[in-house]
Amino acid sequence: MRVITRRPLAQFMLIGLAAGLSGTAVAAESLQDVLKRRNLSQQDLLSAAKTYVPTGKRDEFIAFSSGGQSGQVLVYGIPSMRILKYIGVFTPEPWQGYGYDESSKAVLAQGNIDGRKITWGDSHHPAMSETQGKYDGQFLFINDKANPRIAVIDLRDFETKQLVANPIFKSEHGGAFVTPNTEYVIEAAQYATPLENRKFAPLEEFNEKYRGGITYWKFDRKEGRIVPKESFSVELPPYSQDLSDAGKGPSDGWSFTNSFCSERYVGGIEKGRPPYEAGCSAKDTDYMHVVNWRKAAELVAQGKAKKINGHNVIMMETAIKEGILFLIPEPKSPHGVMLSPDGKFITVSGKLDTHVSVYSWEKIQAAIKAGRFESKDAYGIPVIGMKETLHKQVQLGLGPLHTQYDAKACVAYTSLYVDSQVVKWDYCEGRVLDKIAVHYNIGHLMTMEGDSVEPKGKYLVAMNKLSIDRFNPVGPLHPQNHQLIDISEDKMQLLYDMPVPLGEPHYVVGIEASKLKPGVRYKVGTDSRTDKPHPGAVRAGEEKTVRKGNKVEVFGTLIRSHITPETIEAEVGDEITVHLTNLERAQDETHGFAVGTFDVHASVEPGKTVTVKFKADKEGVYPYYCTEFCSALHLEMQGYLLVKPKGWKPSKPAAAEQVVYTEDDYKKQLKKVAETQAVIDQVVAYITGVNYRDFPDVVALMDDAVDQLNKTKETRAKAEEAAKRKDWQQATLWAEQIWQYQVKAADIGIRAKNYLEQNGARKTK
Ligand code: K7E
Ligand code: CUA
């Protein structure tokens, strides 16, 4: 097979190689030569060795990064920092067909706000689903700050399955954070607003009418979806709720949300008042909110929530009366709240303070149990004394923001925005261990599984807000800089700068790659967005086009290298629905489907069925084609959409096909088929002569190859039947089609053979 199809190419390559060799021979560079030529130090070499992932090898960790204003999620490997995928989440993503086919449009439409279509998101904080506080690699959640929404991404196929818009908030910064068994996904508002939809209240009534809150979205793990009906919120004062974290271990059942601007300042510089930033940071302390979410869920079940915009809300009054809501002062304009892996300590950074404050859950709980409160806030919420709940306050540096934990006991890392540093410190003893400079102005930082109960240590990613002089200039809008830091030893070591060219990512989560087990194909006929059989799916041979009135519905299939049907006929003004099933079972054999002019694109991965719908409101001839280079005959994977004028009739009978092939051509064709079969037989003999059944990937490839070969039987019958009629035209073309199937089978067979050779298959015969 290889011999037949690739000989011309191989010959070219040989000629090229010979020409290269006849030139002056250059001695291969040594490592020392390269270091000298590229001006690299031993330290650079060490960093390169620690991050380089050789061809064919894989990364140890996978990172899921917020895509910031792009509304997407980026997936990259650690330590290589190679980008693997962008997942369309809040924003249409054409490659994946996200927002172009009907079921992904429906997912995006779930994120409409008040019926308004929104095509972007300010995505901030991804969260991995957890089982007993450990990352389980099943689902990813992420929030949109600008339009208060949460997304659910299924890690079986890395697709967005659900968007949920918050019914009572107008912004949502403090999400997504999960409880230890992913019972709830937590999101908090940032900018206080009236909770009732479309309610106006003047800023003069801010203290009375504006409210913040925290929403607890119920997650149904079996369905892989958030259940809005079973979700609820807790009404909070109009303090700017910041980030949250869920308790774990001894603090499981509780959640912690910090806040800033508890001054409740409303600005007004245009009226001569001091600006927001002055008014919002006047006090020395703000409040951490401590919520008993487990009890809150019981109160909702007992009917103690009020319905606002159809959503369960536990009003402050009820929360206070039932003893599920407390405040603790925290210094000063804090940002980031993080539970230690054992759930015993809560770290809060004061953006405008040089300290981080470590609170003790044991002490908080003791104060709550004893009913020991130092005061109440303006809304009557009990305030627990800061001093009596603090475990330590540690001076770290300027602008502390976020904290992550190490696999080593008591070791934490905190970002220092103003100092542009990461500080490593001991939160048990309260002392600084090490500092490292980052470039520049770090926001979040992330250690591997560093917000779970079982951090893995090893690497830290610094997510820097500015990259100033790090990269080749690309205009005033700079990339972001994710810097990889080795934290496996006492001293931190900077390894790598990765420019992030997609929005301002705030947070990233990193998981052991071995925990992710995504599929490589769907069960044939699956709607990937609903995970259910797609009603428009058909099998090979069942393709059809149905016309009803002005509606044309196509049930088509895709397989290397053709689209069935190859012509779609319509009249101007028709509504066209095309269902396409990818019949492939081979890995990575995705087909795309595009029709120009009508904004139609779909990505159809092996087994998937998608639907595209459009109105053919413009007469003309529109080619459609496959957009993934899927086989040697990808460019031939094409068809025509013919949009005829109303009432159009052919003016003359179709011209007879021009005959160009002879009996000789047919015989030549048969000879080629026989030669190819001999090569296929050799490949098959090799494969069946080794333990290929021990390699599931190869078994799948073989199934696919057999599928292709089976099709030759019917095609051969057609060729022979035409030959009998001495219709050499038809006979030759059908013989060519046999060869097409053979080529595809051989292509897969050779892939399987290479795989077996590279993966140490043993001879069994
Ligand atoms: Cu610190 Cu929006 Cu998480 Cu950014 S937030 S840094
Ligand atoms: Cu299918 Cu190109």
Side-chain angles (χ1 to χ4, degrees), residues 558-563 582 584 589-593 604 625-631 633-638:
L558 304 165
I559 194 158
R560 276 157 295 160
S561 325
H562 57 262
I563 303 172
N582 183 341
E584 306 280 359
E589 282 298 349
T590 294
H591 301 289
F593 179 76
V604 202
Y625 69 98
C626 168
T627 55
E628 287 273 342
F629 207 110
C630 49
S631 72
L633 289 165
H634 150 75
L635 288 172
E636 287 77 356
M637 203 165 165
Q638 62 177 13

Side-chain angles (χ1 to χ4, degrees), residues 262-568:
S262 57
E263 294 84 351
R264 295 176 288 165
Y265 192 66
V266 294
I269 195 165
E270 58 292 318
K271 291 178 191 146
R273 285 159 51 87
Y276 263 115
E277 62 263 40
C280 275
S281 57
K283 286 200 320 181
D284 282 340
T285 55
D286 289 282
Y287 290 121
M288 171 157 65
H289 306 73
V290 179
V291 179
N292 185 338
W293 63 257
R294 193 158 279 145
K295 194 156 172 212
E298 286 165 18
L299 296 181
V300 176
Q302 291 159 16
K304 292 189 177 159
K306 180 179 161 185
K307 289 267 185 207
I308 301 183
N309 308 331
H311 171 72
N312 295 313
V313 183
I314 299 178
M315 305 307 281
M316 272 194 283
E317 211 191 326
T318 312
I320 296 164
K321 202 172 89 202
E322 300 283 346
I324 62 155
L325 173 62
F326 306 93
L327 300 173
I328 308 175
E330 44 179 18
K332 163 171 187 166
S333 301
H335 190 44
V337 50
M338 273 293 194
L339 270 280
S340 60
D342 60 11
K344 289 184 183 163
F345 299 106
I346 301 141
T347 301
V348 172
S349 305
K351 288 193 300 271
L352 302 180
D353 191 58
T354 55
H355 294 86
V356 288
S357 304
V358 183
Y359 293 84
S360 152
W361 170 244
E362 214 184 304
K363 292 180 181 176
I364 295 172
Q365 213 182 12
I368 293 173
K369 275 216 180 105
R372 208 165 46 240
F373 307 113
E374 66 171 25
S375 61
K376 286 179 176 174
D377 82 337
Y379 299 89
I381 305 172
V383 178
I384 308 169
M386 175 161 81
K387 290 249 161 60
E388 83 169 288
T389 50
L390 273 177
H391 164 66
K392 295 265 178 224
Q393 276 192 314
V394 192
Q395 186 155 28
L396 296 184
L398 296 180
L401 294 187
H402 297 286
T403 297
Q404 289 269 293
Y405 297 91
D406 199 334
K408 295 168 202 145
C410 297
V411 175
Y413 301 85
T414 296
S415 51
L416 301 177
Y417 178 85
V418 178
D419 276 341
S420 288
Q421 286 179 330
V422 170
V423 49
K424 174 180 180 178
W425 56 288
D426 180 323
Y427 60 88
C428 301
E429 301 293 324
R431 62 197 167 92
V432 171
L433 302 172
D434 188 26
K435 284 188 179 188
I436 191 170
V438 294
H439 311 91
Y440 301 88
N441 297 91
I442 178 173
H444 278 269
L445 75 186
M446 180 272 282
T447 56
M448 303 304 107
E449 307 197 5
D451 56 18
S452 74
V453 299
E454 238 179 38
K456 299 291 186 272
K458 294 192 181 185
Y459 302 102
L460 180 149
V461 176
M463 278 147 268
N464 306 331
K465 300 298 182 192
L466 308 186
S467 63
I468 308 180
D469 54 11
R470 291 292 105 173
F471 305 115
N472 298 64
V474 290
L477 181 62
H478 289 44
Q480 312 279 318
N481 187 4
H482 284 199
Q483 289 189 301
L484 183 69
I485 294 168
D486 180 353
I487 54 168
S488 58
E489 294 171 63
D490 288 344
K491 298 287 294 168
M492 292 179 278
Q493 188 201 335
L494 181 58
L495 297 178
Y496 193 78
D497 289 2
M498 178 173 79
V500 180
L502 200 78
E504 184 195 319
H506 286 255
Y507 188 41
V508 175
V509 288
I511 180 173
E512 276 178 331
S514 59
K515 286 187 180 173
L516 297 170
K517 301 200 166 53
V520 296
R521 67 182 69 78
Y522 295 100
K523 194 167 171 230
V524 173
T526 302
D527 179 336
S528 68
R529 302 288 169 175
T530 60
D531 307 323
K532 306 225 158 77
H534 191 299
V538 289
R539 308 205 151 254
E542 296 172 359
E543 298 91 346
K544 61 182 176 194
T545 299
V546 183
R547 166 179 273 288
K548 265 191 215 132
N550 68 338
K551 291 192 169 59
V552 178
E553 193 169 5
V554 178
F555 298 80
T557 60
L558 304 165
I559 194 158
R560 276 157 295 160
S561 325
H562 57 262
I563 303 172
T564 308
E566 296 186 342
T567 339
I568 300 173

